Amino acid sequence: MPRRQSVPEPPPPGGILWDIAGDVRALLALPAALTMQVAHPAVGAGVDTYSVFRTDPWGRGERSLRSLQTWVYGGEAAADEGRRLRELHRTIQGTDAHGRSYHALTPAYYAWVHATGFPVYRHARQYFGRPFTPAQERQLYAEWLQVGRILGIHDRDMPQTLDEFWPYYEKVLADELELTAVAGELVAVDRPLPPPDRGPRALRTLWPLVLPPLARFRRFLTIGLMPPDARQAIGLPWTEAQERRLRRFGRVVRTVVPLLPERLRYLPPAREARRRERRRQGRRTSRSSISNLRCS
């Protein structure tokens, strides 16, 4: 009989990703990870040619966020989403700005896109929450590897321990990253951005007034929440005054967000998954109590 291939499972309820991936604070760090991804010439070229981030930025962002939430909170749907993404990337290929051929599913490129999440989560945590302990960092990395398996990344293509990850990460920074055209666009303050096609109508009306300060704030967070070594490798400026501002902002965020009710603190997929898990745990507790009564 043919051997049945095992289906990778998402990170477990109660894990670190279960707690942080759906927290609204994660939204603040996503642009830093995206910019690190497209600072790789192959990834940047693929996004430049195939992505609709210029023409449909809001829809593109919503779809990406929904996909990411499915990897962590989607249960059985997580593996299906991973397969869908790989199928979507099969036709993405071309030539980068240096004349080198690329394919989106080349293991080194596909793994780098995923790898950026870990150092960004780790760095942003220093501002928006209590920094991870060494044990928590190892757990977070193990869970991130688990997500990588959902995306179809083989263990041989990603460092399997933190001790192996950092030399790999530093090598990519030193040998590959640069301020690509797309990375430059993501931190630009004068890039045209259409008004959101969802949300309050007043926001669309006031968009010409809202966009300039929003673009400056986006650049500030994108560069500030990028690990300093990545920021330096890409060639993005950052001053001590900006660092002090980011730390002040971080103090406000890490004080206020934990006080919010769950419906405001967590994104919808995370809220629903957490509710399902509480119901499941409640049923398990009830069955255990009934069993104990029968045995007593």
Side-chain angles (χ1 to χ4, degrees):
M1 249 181 110
R3 188 177 178 182
R4 186 177 178 182
Q5 189 174 6
S6 61
V7 176
E9 296 183 355
I16 293 179
L17 277 175
W18 185 267
D19 187 51
I20 67 175
D23 189 301
V24 293
R25 286 171 286 188
L27 296 176
L28 300 174
L30 282 179
L34 293 172
T35 304
M36 286 173 61
Q37 292 167 12
V38 300
H40 190 295
V43 180
V47 170
D48 192 17
T49 303
Y50 290 91
S51 177
V52 296
F53 80 99
R54 296 185 183 96
T55 56
D56 183 24
W58 304 103
R60 179 70 182 87
E62 182 179 352
R63 291 188 294 274
S64 295
L65 185 59
R66 186 166 57 244
S67 180
L68 189 156
Q69 295 288 289
T70 303
W71 309 342
V72 177
Y73 302 106
E76 294 180 358
D80 292 337
E81 177 63 11
R83 286 189 288 270
R84 185 191 72 83
L85 287 175
R86 288 189 69 84
E87 189 62 33
L88 185 68
H89 285 80
R90 288 192 188 283
T91 58
I92 297 179
Q93 57 187 320
T95 305
D96 69 15
H98 300 285
R100 300 172 300 199
S101 298
Y102 71 86
H103 190 289
L105 292 181
T106 298
Y109 307 155
Y110 204 61
W112 171 250
V113 171
H114 180 60
T116 57
F118 172 74
V120 169
Y121 271 132
R122 176 180 178 269
H123 182 62
R125 182 75 174 191
Q126 299 177 33
Y127 299 95
F128 298 149
R130 182 176 298 174
F132 296 122
T133 66
Q136 287 172 328
E137 286 189 11
R138 289 192 295 272
Q139 181 183 343
L140 174 60
Y141 188 69
E143 292 180 14
W144 202 235
L145 287 176
Q146 207 166 335
V147 172
R149 296 180 190 110
I150 288 170
L151 299 177
I153 298 172
H154 297 293
D155 286 352
R156 64 177 178 267
D157 297 323
M158 278 283 291
Q160 292 299 291
T161 68
L162 267 186
D163 288 340
E164 295 170 337
F165 175 79
W166 293 118
Y168 151 80
Y169 169 76
E170 290 163 4
K171 181 172 174 54
V172 174
L173 296 189
D175 297 348
E176 301 286 351
L177 296 202
E178 61 185 47
L179 187 62
T180 61
V182 177
E185 284 188 56
L186 293 185
V187 295
V189 296
D190 56 354
R191 178 168 71 94
L193 184 66
D197 54 3
R198 61 212 70 195
R201 184 175 180 180
L203 179 61
R204 295 192 287 276
T205 303
L206 297 172
W207 189 244
L209 298 176
V210 171
L211 178 56
L214 177 64
R216 291 192 295 270
F217 184 63
R218 179 192 62 197
R219 175 185 171 88
F220 171 70
L221 284 184
T222 300
I223 299 177
L225 295 179
M226 191 179 296
D229 47 4
R231 187 192 304 149
Q232 184 176 1
I234 299 171
L236 297 171
W238 188 250
T239 66
E240 291 183 3
Q242 288 174 313
E243 179 66 19
R244 289 193 294 270
R245 283 175 53 206
L246 182 58
R247 291 191 178 279
R248 288 195 297 269
F249 176 69
R251 282 196 293 272
V252 173
V253 170
R254 70 172 176 261
T255 300
V256 172
V257 172
L259 301 177
L260 295 175
E262 187 173 71
R263 63 186 174 82
L264 297 178
R265 179 177 173 181
Y266 285 97
L267 299 172
R271 290 201 308 269
E272 179 55 32
R274 291 166 71 87
R275 281 196 293 266
R276 286 198 308 267
E277 180 61 19
R278 284 196 296 269
R279 288 196 297 268
R280 190 180 71 84
Q281 292 290 348
R283 288 194 296 268
R284 177 182 293 178
T285 301
S286 297
R287 286 195 299 267
S288 177
S289 298
I290 292 171
S291 177
N292 289 338
L293 285 172
R294 287 173 176 169
C295 294
S296 60

